[in-house]
Amino acid sequence: MDSVVPTLPPPSNLSSYIVSFLNDNLHTRETLTLAPNLVSQLQSNCSDLDQSIIDLNRSLGATLVAYASFSDQIHGLLSDINGQLIDLGSFTRSHGYVEPDGESGEGKGRTEKILGEELPALAKEVARVETVRLYAETALKLDSLIGDIEDAVSSTMTKNLKKYYATQDSEDTRLRAIKTLKLTEDILTSVTKRQPQWGRLVSAVDHRVDRALAILRPQAIADHRALLASLGWPPSLSSLTSAAPNKAKILNPLFTMQGDLKHQYCENFFALCSLQELQRRRKSRQLEGYSREVAIYQPLWVIEELVNPMFLASQRHLSNWVEKPEFIFALVYKMTRDYVDSMDELLQPLVDEAMLSGYSCREEWISANVSSLSTYLAKEIFPKYDAQVDEENDMDTQSQARTSWLHLIDLMISFDKQIKSLLEHSGVSFSFQEDESMQKISSFSVFSDRPDWLDLWAKIELGEILNKLKNDCEDEKNWTIKVQGANLSSNPEDYNAPPITSAFIRHLSAIINRCRSLPKKSLRSTFLRSAGAPILIKFLDCLLFRCQEAEGLTALTNDEALIKVATSINAARKLESVLREWCEDLFFLELGSIQGDQAEENESGKGLIEDLENGIFDVETEKLEAFRMEWVEKLYVVILRGFDALCRDYMKNKRQWQEKSEEGWTVSKSLVGALDYLQGKMSVLEVNLNRKDFIGVWRSLASGIDRMIFNGILLSSVKFYDGGVERFGSDLEVLFGVFRSWCMRPEGFFPKLSEGFKVLKMSEKQLKNDFVGSEKWLEDNRIRHLSVVEVDRIMKNRVFGS
């Protein structure tokens, strides 16, 4: 009779682990001779495992018996307490009262003792026993659950290698362990909220759960990696690095898996997501009362397991492109883009099923790739570029190193825009304004831990810009205003500024736009203070140098010097207005708040409120304003001084106020030159100075002339006859006419002269009134800018009659 030779089942019925085990131990003909020994070893292992199961069952039975015995004891104690309460009620009813409207002394005393002493003590004892019972039941339940978890973990570790063992059994055991872990966490959460005094029990359970998770999670990740390897992940990068534009040609292993392999991957994926959700719940409970959001968030484990092997496989390409970083960014972006759709279609439903709220597979895939790129840049690219800049080489080599650095920054900005576009076009709601969110999707997060690289970047950017601006500042054409007729620029907001202003604004705007790519407000603030503020200081230095040069050479006496200063004032006004407009934007308001927070950390007490209100460029804006006000004041002081010099003969001639105006003249001859000078200088400023500052100049000038003539003539010892009053009125009318080009009623800007002349024109009868010069008289005659003393002096100088 022929013996029946046992055969193995078809390979399709075997799990991947068994197939791998057989391949490892029976891979050649020589190893087949060792098969009997292998069988004996497996049988011995199975016997040991069977014995372990028998021992665990016995331990479980003993635990259940102990629990039943303890429960019976508690039940007996509660029954006795219940009986005592019944007896107490009967005793109270039989001895508590004698009559409805009266009590015996003994019964009353007994009732008070029972109600005041025995009953509260009994209630306290009942509560204590109930608490003990609840604690015992909770501890036993938790012990039972932890035992189940540890058994499941032990089972997944030992990997039952019987003939009909299947990987599915291991996954089922792991999922049961996760389910039990979640039940345990529910109980611990309830205990933490309702019984916070049971902290030692919670701590003991957490310790055992941590030990179980320390085994369960690495094993689940190891199985997940084995499954990914069997799927063919990471895919070949040849299709990624090829020039084929057809994205459909890229073979995605996640879409091609089928049958049991797909089921196993999904089960393992779900188990990892469930473990991460459990871990997040436990941290949320343990960090109650602290900054939980920062500590609880972790990247999605399953996505990291997809990104890490792919990025490791790509590093052999990346290492060849250190001098050509554009290829690095192109490859990483292509990897990110080509597989991002599978994250939404295949993996997101599994994450949602695991109740892992707040996670988007698409976002996690993108952020994981960006994070890997940032790590690679920090380790391999930036150190080399940094070393090239620091090397003591010739100027050409240094210039090439700085150019390479700026080229790398340009590539990072372009890459981040592409990544942001991937997210925005997916319909995913993503808050790009939050620092934490920005950092996850920005390659510039490399600067978060390296402020020295940020300072070097700012230094390089500033150096390049100042070199360009140096040539622009030296070209006199850039300081020339193209004036159209007698009007200012067609756009009032241009402030008649020279072209050099636009050059500075353009470069400053470029710096601001580049810093927007930085993921944190503190980094943007630091960068702008290092690279942006010096540009403004350089601009202010150029303006100050030109104005001081004009003042030193000509004392601002000729028209060319006035035009030079006016041009500088226009430039300062234009840049100041642009900075104030920018600082109202939310971007600059946030940077200003960061600067205020830093000031609050660095200082204590003094000046905190002011610092908190400062914007990012407030210091430079205030310096521009101070410069502009200083030189506007110098302009009208110079013109007023020249007018005063030409008016000296006019003001010293006291006899002219006793005579009428000369025949054919509407103004005094000695005043003509001063008025001509005034009109000429103001015409130059009207054409060349911006409208706002020009208004300030002529108003200040009018106020100065008003005080000068009033004090020099009306308050002097000069005597005014009727002809002199008429002559003085004609002079004032011509003086006011010079300023009538810029306002409708110039008299309002000469208040002392106008009211002083009003007093001079009054009749003798009006001035002989007893109340003349009193406060009431001033009020009745609407004289508001002259004092009683000044009116009295003018009246004494008035002479009536021929």
Side-chain angles (χ1 to χ4, degrees), residues 527-624:
F527 182 81
L528 277 185
R529 292 305 307 165
S530 300
I535 296 177
L536 298 175
I537 298 300
K538 174 64 176 178
F539 183 71
L540 188 59
D541 290 342
C542 290
L543 298 181
L544 186 60
F545 174 78
R546 291 181 64 83
C547 290
Q548 290 176 342
E549 183 182 39
E551 183 183 33
L553 293 176
T554 66
L556 303 182
T557 55
N558 61 15
D559 292 348
E560 290 184 2
L562 288 179
I563 293 173
K564 199 169 188 178
V565 173
T567 303
S568 299
I569 293 174
N570 294 344
R573 167 70 80 170
K574 172 63 175 178
L575 185 55
E576 180 188 339
S577 70
V578 170
L579 291 178
R580 295 193 186 280
E581 181 181 354
W582 284 353
C583 289
E584 294 176 358
D585 187 77
L586 179 61
F587 175 79
F588 288 93
L589 291 175
E590 289 179 343
L591 297 186
S593 66
I594 290 295
Q595 191 175 3
D597 293 341
Q598 293 172 348
E600 188 174 11
E601 292 176 0
N602 296 332
E603 300 180 8
S604 58
K606 184 178 180 180
L608 287 185
I609 296 178
E610 292 80 358
D611 288 335
L612 290 173
E613 295 176 352
N614 282 346
I616 188 68
F617 291 135
D618 273 8
V619 174
E620 289 72 26
T621 305
E622 291 172 0
K623 288 182 179 180
L624 284 169

Side-chain angles (χ1 to χ4, degrees), residues 58-83:
R58 287 176 181 174
S59 176
L60 179 61
T63 302
L64 291 175
V65 170
Y67 173 73
S69 175
F70 183 79
S71 180
D72 291 341
Q73 293 177 9
I74 296 297
H75 187 268
L77 288 173
L78 292 176
S79 298
D80 292 342
I81 292 172
N82 190 41

Side-chain angles (χ1 to χ4, degrees), residues 100-159:
D101 57 347
E103 297 184 15
S104 64
E106 182 181 355
K108 183 178 180 180
R110 179 62 178 162
T111 300
E112 291 178 353
K113 183 177 181 181
I114 291 173
L115 295 176
E117 299 178 10
E118 296 181 2
L119 193 58
L122 183 60
K124 185 176 181 180
E125 183 66 19
V126 170
R128 187 185 69 81
V129 173
E130 178 64 19
T131 302
V132 172
R133 183 190 66 81
L134 181 61
Y135 182 87
E137 289 184 351
T138 304
L140 287 172
K141 188 173 183 180
L142 287 172
D143 184 67
S144 176
L145 291 174
I146 291 297
D148 293 342
I149 293 169
E150 290 172 344
D151 291 343
V153 171
S154 176
S155 177
T156 58
M157 282 291 294
T158 54
K159 297 269 189 186

Side-chain angles (χ1 to χ4, degrees), residues 217-234:
R217 180 192 169 187
Q219 187 60 46
I221 291 177
D223 291 346
H224 189 78
R225 290 173 180 173
L227 281 170
L228 286 176
S230 63
L231 287 172
W233 191 274

Side-chain angles (χ1 to χ4, degrees), residues 675-686:
L675 292 176
D676 183 64
Y677 168 84
L678 177 65
Q679 190 167 21
K681 295 299 181 183
M682 293 304 294
S683 298
V684 172
L685 290 184
E686 183 181 13

